[in-house]
Amino acid sequence: MKKALLSVSDKEGIVEFAKELVKLDFKLLSTGGTFKLLKENHIEVLEVSDYTQSPELFEGRIKTLHPKIHGGILYKRDDENHKNQAKEYNIEKIDLVCVNLYPFKKTTLMSDDLDEIIENIDIGGPTMIRSAAKNYKDVLVVCDILDYERIIKTLKEGKDDEKFRLDLMIKAYEHTANYDSYIANYMNERFNGGFGASKFIVGQKVFETKYGENPHQKGILYQFDDFFNHHFKALKGEASFNNLTDMNAALNLASAFDKAPAVAIVKHGNACGFAIKEGLLQSYTHALKCDSISAYGGVVAINGSLDETLARKINEIYVEVILAANVTKEALAVFEGKKRIKIFTQENPYLVRPYDLYDFKHINGGFVYQNSDEVSEKELKNAELKSERKASEGELKDLEIALKIAALTKSNNVVYVKNGAMVAIGMGMTSRIDAAKAAIMKAKEMGLDLEGCVLASEAFFPFRDSIDEASRVGVKAIVEPGGSIRDDEVIQAANEYGISLYFTGVRHFLH
C-alpha cells in the first residue's frame, strides 16, 4: 500500500484531499493538529509518533526528524543497495508528502515578540519538502493547496509521470526558498537595518508579457505580496512590459496627492502631462495641454472614476493605456471599437500603490539596493525660505505638485507648474540648464504662457543660469534642495528677480 504523509499549517482543503487519497488506496500518516482534524472527520490515519515509535520532543520541535520518515522519503526505489538498507532497518517507502509551513510571515505581522517569531520558524516542514523534492522521481511533493484537485485528478488518470513530478519539485524548492528568504530578510531588517550580507528578492509570477522591452526579449511580471492580484484588472487588452513600467510611473504620480482629482500622462517613464483641477475631466484637459504631442500613444492614469464624458474626451486622440481607479460600463463602451487601446482598473475609489521600503536596480554583475525615495509630507512645509519674497498660498500648492513630479522624473530635470497643472518639463538631461531651456522651448511650441508659474528642481542648481532663464518666462517661486557651492549666487539671482526661493535640503535624483 502507498503511504502519504500529511502535515499542514494551513488546513484548508486537507480533509477533502485526504479522503480522495484514501480512495486511491493511500495509507495516511500525520502529525499534531492535522492528525487531530483528520481523526475528527473519521479518516483513518496513523500518527507519526506511533509509526516511528518515537515521541514528539521539545514542545513539538522534533516530530518528523526520524530515519523512518526521511529514509522512507529519500531512498531510491530502483537502487538495490538502498532497497536492502531500507529492508534491514524496517524503513517503508513514503510516496507522497503534503506539507505547508508554519506561518512565519503572518506571525511577524501580528507580533513583535522575538521568541514567538522564532517558534514559528518551521524546521521539520522544509526538511520534508526538500527531501521529497530531491527524490521527486519516486515521491510526489505537495506544498500548495491549489494543487490538491489537480494532483488527485492526475493520480486517478495515472498521469503522474516524471514531467508532472518535476513541476511539483520545482514548486517545492521555490516554496522553501521563498520561506527561507523571508526569514533572512526579516532578521536583517530587524537587526541590520535591512542591509545584510545577503539580500533576497522574491516575487511570484503574475503573467507573461508578449515580450520584453523589445520583441527579441522575454518578459514576465512578478509581484510582491499579491499586489497585482488584488489591484490590477484588465478590462481591455493585455499589458506589455513597457506598458507596465510606464503605468508604474503614472500610478506613482497620479496617486501622490491622496484623493485629489489628479490625472497623469506618461510617456517612456516620464511625465508629459499632469494636473489637479476641480474635476477629472478638467484635470485631463489641462494635463494634455502640456505636451499633447508626446501624449500620443502614452499612458493616462486617473485618480478616480473614468466615466463616459471623460472617456469621450480621451478618445479624441490615441492613447495606448488608461489606468483608472474604477471604470464605468458606459466609459468602457466608448472604446469598444478601438482595437489598440488598453484599459486597466484597480476597482477602488482612488488609485492605490504599494510602498516598497526598498528599491533596487540591475547592473551588470549584480544589483544596487537602497531605501526607497519618497517626498515626505513635511518636505515643503519644512523648506527654508532663502529669498526676500515669500510664495503665496497658491504658489506653495503648485510648488508641492512640481516637487513631487520632479522627484518622480528622470534626472536632470526641472518642472514648471501653474494653477495646478504642469505647463513645462525638461527631463533626463546631462545639464540642468539644458533641461530648463528644453522645457521652455516645448512650452512655447505648445502655446503655453508660463508667466506666474513655479519651478521645481530635483537637485541643486549648480549655477545661476537656470534662475536667469526662469526669470525670462515669469517664474514666481522655486523649490530645490540647495547644497551647491554657488548657492549664494542662486539666492542673489532670485532676489534680483523677485522670485521666492526655497531649499528643502533633500535631493531626489532618479537615474
Side-chain angles (χ1 to χ4, degrees), residues 176 198 222-223:
T176 56
S198 296
Y222 292 92
Q223 68 181 343

mmCIF file of all heavy atoms in Angstrom, residues 176 198 222-223:
data_model
loop_
_atom_site.group_PDB
_atom_site.id
_atom_site.type_symbol
_atom_site.label_atom_id
_atom_site.label_comp_id
_atom_site.label_asym_id
_atom_site.label_seq_id
_atom_site.Cartn_x
_atom_site.Cartn_y
_atom_site.Cartn_z
ATOM 1 N N THR A 176 10.281 26.612 -0.442
ATOM 2 C CA THR A 176 11.216 26.675 0.685
ATOM 3 C C THR A 176 12.196 27.834 0.528
ATOM 4 O O THR A 176 12.586 28.452 1.527
ATOM 5 C CB THR A 176 11.990 25.353 0.839
ATOM 6 O OG1 THR A 176 12.664 25.036 -0.391
ATOM 7 C CG2 THR A 176 11.046 24.215 1.210
ATOM 8 N N SER A 198 23.673 39.300 2.718
ATOM 9 C CA SER A 198 22.969 38.806 1.534
ATOM 10 C C SER A 198 21.590 39.446 1.482
ATOM 11 O O SER A 198 20.989 39.746 2.512
ATOM 12 C CB SER A 198 22.813 37.281 1.572
ATOM 13 O OG SER A 198 24.066 36.637 1.531
ATOM 14 N N TYR A 222 6.402 39.795 -12.156
ATOM 15 C CA TYR A 222 6.396 39.170 -10.846
ATOM 16 C C TYR A 222 5.910 40.197 -9.825
ATOM 17 O O TYR A 222 6.088 41.400 -10.015
ATOM 18 C CB TYR A 222 7.801 38.693 -10.454
ATOM 19 C CG TYR A 222 8.313 37.547 -11.285
ATOM 20 C CD1 TYR A 222 9.076 37.776 -12.425
ATOM 21 C CD2 TYR A 222 8.045 36.226 -10.937
ATOM 22 C CE1 TYR A 222 9.553 36.730 -13.198
ATOM 23 C CE2 TYR A 222 8.513 35.174 -11.700
ATOM 24 C CZ TYR A 222 9.271 35.428 -12.837
ATOM 25 O OH TYR A 222 9.735 34.383 -13.584
ATOM 26 N N GLN A 223 5.318 39.724 -8.751
ATOM 27 C CA GLN A 223 4.745 40.640 -7.761
ATOM 28 C C GLN A 223 5.244 40.317 -6.357
ATOM 29 O O GLN A 223 5.623 39.191 -6.065
ATOM 30 C CB GLN A 223 3.224 40.572 -7.784
ATOM 31 C CG GLN A 223 2.661 39.246 -7.285
ATOM 32 C CD GLN A 223 1.159 39.171 -7.318
ATOM 33 O OE1 GLN A 223 0.481 40.177 -7.420
ATOM 34 N NE2 GLN A 223 0.616 37.970 -7.228
#
